[in-house]
Amino acid sequence: MQLYNSLTRKKAEFITRIPGHVEMYTCGPTVYHFAHIGNLRSYIMEDILEKFLRYEGKSVNRVMNITDVGHLASDADTGEDKMLKGAKREHKTVMEIAKFYTDAFFADCAKLNIKRPDTVEPATNCIQEYIRIISALIEKDYAYFAGGNVYFNSARLERYYLFNDYNEEDLAVGVREGVEEDANKRNRNDFVLWFTKSKFEDQALKWDSPWGVGYPGWHMECTGISLKHNGEYLDLHCGGIDNAFPHHTNEIAQSESYLGHPWCPQWFHVHHLNTNSGKMSKSKGEFLTVSLLEEKGFNPLAYRFFCLQSHYRKNLVFTWENLENAQGAYNKLIAKIAALTPGSAPVDQEIFNQQKEKFLKSVGNDLNTSLGITALYDALKVKANDETKLALLKDFDQVLSLSLLEKAAEKRAQDAKASSQTAGGFVITGEGDPEIDALVLQRAQAKKEKNFALADQIRNDLKARGITLLDTPQGVTWKTEK
Ligand code: AMP
Ligand code: ZN
């Protein structure tokens, strides 16, 4: 796969340390509120990346943290404690807030067909890892203790400034306005590894450490969690573009100083989803969530489809109109697929391979998902039998995860139900599986049209799947043989 690398600023073949295997890390959500659909744009694109790597035949070990410690609204030493803010807002404990919003995050991910990473680790689970790493950094003279906190000494590095020349507006987030300088720092870019002096009187989560009771700096959690679950070498690190500086710069600084060797050669950053009024932010109060999309009658997968139509390295503007267009296109696509009839013809392997090659080339070119979608439409248009088309759609959907065949089966069942109602026809009283219902209705329709060969074939196919049909005066019912 060709992939752009934020570290080298070039697109190149993505090479892993162990051929065929990818150690992948993703910066996870801060769980003090619902994820907004901007956050989820990043997770959708990272999900596609992971699935594409697997589709190419690689094994992937993907790790994600959950930021449930303290964390400050700005680079580690000023700002406000987001978790505490959430707890106060909802009159709950910080851990209750973390649990509630972690579950909410994965529920949103499920609706968007975002796979759960192999390992998900809450930051509060790994305090001893951070203490071990920070102790070693002090030992190696990369860190110092001042005014009650432990700081990383950025002047010890020859090249600290990775990523900071992303002079985009997004990056300004890392260096928020109004950040007060911390007098304890030796250098402007030093950052906190361990706090004992919190700005907040009621800092909720604290742990004992060799430097006093306190809590880890934000950047430390990703280093600690990745080293624990990915090992000393990482192949691929992902996050939204606002994470690039200073978060990822600082992750690299502390990880490589601790390890004494390069850590991660490939960095993948997803650019932002914005609204017409600017950047989306959880702290702004009102923001767009998956639930809001659903309340307005949208299928979350239409939002996924919308995201796939543009490139991850471009900012994307969200408007309701854009989403409506995506929903319309998605519905049309599903209707086209629902109109395909799975027959008994064999898949045309040559056409299948040709089309698959196109898809691999498209998505394999720096995750060009919009060309991947074009390849999908091409597969629908190609001169081939419906079996071949369905096989291609199923294959591509391993990466795109748009539930194409499932939604098409649902649509067929709905349409069949609607037509049976209007025709005063068949009643389904089976076990509620839309695909089976659709086949049962198709058989009833075939019988009505005196196409007994097709009706018998459907009955026999279902029988082979352990499903028995019973014709009753009220209509057809079916049951699974137990
Ligand atoms: P957070 O929950 O704030 O830690 O952010 C979770 C992920 O969403 C991080 O990878 C961020 O970089 C990313 N992110 C934040 N805002 C946006 C946005 N507007 N568009 C895309 N990704 C974002
Ligand atoms: Zn991180």
Side-chain angles (χ1 to χ4, degrees):
M1 170 176 212
Q2 294 280 315
L3 205 53
Y4 181 82
N5 187 352
S6 320
L7 204 57
T8 58
R9 311 294 159 96
K10 285 193 189 96
K11 187 167 82 175
E13 184 68 25
F14 171 48
I15 295 168
T16 56
R17 203 173 67 91
I18 301 171
H21 179 73
V22 187
E23 286 295 337
M24 177 173 181
Y25 185 86
T26 305
C27 291
T30 313
V31 284
Y32 71 106
H33 218 320
F34 293 107
H36 58 58
I37 59 172
N39 301 130
L40 291 160
R41 179 193 188 196
S42 286
Y43 295 113
I44 288 171
M45 301 320 288
E46 292 159 359
D47 178 66
I48 301 259
L49 176 58
E50 175 192 349
K51 286 174 177 161
F52 187 75
L53 293 167
R54 291 186 195 270
Y55 180 78
E56 281 189 314
K58 294 188 170 72
S59 60
V60 181
N61 177 34
R62 175 146 176 229
V63 179
M64 182 195 272
N65 65 303
I66 298 287
T67 299
D68 60 351
V69 188
H71 283 324
L72 307 159
S74 74
D75 175 25
D77 53 357
T78 52
E80 56 186 0
D81 181 329
K82 293 179 182 174
M83 293 300 299
L84 198 59
K85 190 178 160 191
K88 280 191 177 151
R89 185 184 62 231
E90 297 179 27
H91 309 290
K92 288 187 179 152
T93 65
V94 166
M95 286 327 273
E96 280 166 351
I97 288 287
K99 162 108 185 59
F100 179 81
Y101 287 112
T102 303
D103 292 348
F105 172 72
F106 285 112
D108 285 345
C109 285
K111 286 178 187 163
L112 292 164
N113 282 349
I114 298 170
K115 177 184 162 296
R116 194 183 166 96
D118 303 284
T119 302
V120 174
E121 182 82 280
T124 48
N125 266 5
C126 301
I127 303 298
Q128 292 316 313
E129 313 293 319
Y130 316 142
I131 292 179
R132 210 168 39 71
I133 295 166
I134 298 166
S135 303
L137 286 171
I138 295 175
E139 186 102 334
K140 290 174 137 189
D141 199 27
Y142 281 107
Y144 59 93
F145 186 76
N149 297 331
V150 181
Y151 294 84
F152 185 88
N153 182 0
S154 59
R156 278 276 275 121
L157 300 183
E158 270 172 38
R159 37 159 220 164
Y160 165 76
Y161 278 109
L162 297 168
F163 299 130
N164 86 326
D165 50 332
Y166 273 103
N167 270 332
E168 297 180 31
E169 226 181 279
D170 298 334
L171 289 185
V173 179
V175 243
R176 265 166 230 255
E177 335 69 63
V179 169
E180 300 155 33
E181 276 305 323
D182 177 348
N184 295 317
K185 286 182 179 182
R186 290 186 195 162
N187 313 289
R188 196 167 168 272
N189 291 308
D190 292 357
F191 55 93
V192 180
L193 300 172
W194 187 270
F195 289 92
T196 69
K197 287 277 177 288
S198 170
K199 239 178 97 167
F200 324 109
E201 291 297 306
D202 44 359
Q203 174 68 34
L205 297 172
K206 290 182 216 174
W207 295 265
D208 205 4
S209 84
W211 317 286
V213 175
Y215 59 101
W218 169 37
H219 318 300
M220 184 42 70
E221 70 184 77
C222 291
T223 291
I225 291 171
S226 180
L227 294 187
K228 181 173 171 190
H229 295 290
N230 295 111
E232 281 196 11
Y233 294 92
L234 195 56
D235 294 303
L236 173 59
H237 196 309
C238 312
I241 189 70
D242 59 303
N243 281 166
F245 184 80
H247 182 50
H248 291 159
T249 305
N250 292 349
E251 277 187 38
I252 295 172
Q254 64 197 10
S255 300
E256 297 196 345
S257 304
Y258 169 74
L259 291 166
H261 61 67
W263 176 46
C264 181
Q266 177 78 43
W267 291 75
F268 176 87
H269 289 118
V270 180
H271 287 241
H272 275 177
L273 179 84
N274 299 318
T275 57
N276 277 334
S277 56
K279 203 183 111 59
M280 219 172 276
S281 158
K282 286 192 224 182
S283 49
K284 277 188 190 161
E286 281 255 311
F287 54 87
L288 298 164
T289 58
V290 170
S291 309
L292 185 64
L293 303 192
E294 286 181 307
E295 272 164 36
K296 295 206 180 237
F298 290 100
N299 177 348
L301 292 179
Y303 176 64
R304 186 175 174 106
F305 189 63
F306 168 70
C307 289
L308 299 194
Q309 283 168 324
S310 63
H311 196 252
Y312 76 91
R313 277 200 292 121
K314 291 212 174 88
N315 285 344
L316 178 59
V317 176
F318 175 87
T319 63
W320 290 106
E321 200 188 346
N322 287 345
L323 187 62
E324 249 160 50
N325 291 339
Q327 176 82 65
Y330 180 75
N331 289 350
K332 263 194 201 152
L333 176 64
I334 296 299
K336 271 194 188 135
I337 300 168
L340 299 174
T341 38
S344 49
V347 171
D348 186 325
Q349 210 54 50
E350 201 180 314
I351 295 177
F352 182 91
N353 292 344
Q354 271 169 12
Q355 297 296 313
K356 185 175 169 122
E357 192 55 34
K358 248 199 215 170
F359 180 76
L360 270 165
K361 274 219 176 99
S362 308
V363 186
N365 181 5
D366 195 21
L367 212 72
N368 196 326
T369 46
S370 74
L371 279 182
I373 299 281
T374 307
L376 186 79
Y377 282 111
D378 288 349
L380 270 169
K381 275 188 281 185
V382 75
K383 268 202 158 68
N385 60 33
D386 286 0
E387 282 297 341
T388 306
K389 293 182 184 186
L390 285 164
L392 281 164
L393 297 171
K394 190 171 174 190
D395 188 70
F396 298 173
D397 212 29
Q398 292 173 66
V399 178
L400 304 176
S401 293
L402 292 165
S403 295
L404 297 173
L405 299 197
E406 295 84 345
K407 292 289 172 206
E410 271 173 30
K411 170 143 180 53
R412 266 200 300 274
Q414 278 163 7
D415 291 352
K417 217 170 220 167
S419 75
S420 77
Q421 275 160 6
T422 51
F426 321 101
V427 182
I428 293 283
T429 49
E431 296 175 4
D433 179 314
E435 190 208 341
I436 309 289
D437 285 354
L439 287 167
V440 172
L441 282 167
Q442 207 187 340
R443 171 179 166 270
Q445 188 64 36
K447 270 176 73 178
K448 202 172 162 197
E449 289 161 5
K450 303 210 177 333
N451 185 350
F452 297 111
L454 178 60
D456 286 349
Q457 190 201 320
I458 294 172
R459 176 190 276 273
N460 291 341
D461 288 351
L462 287 171
K463 190 151 197 260
R465 293 168 66 174
I467 288 155
T468 309
L469 301 185
L470 304 163
D471 291 305
T472 73
Q474 290 75 35
V476 187
T477 180
W478 59 271
K479 62 177 182 160
T480 320
E481 279 161 25
K482 297 268 159 35

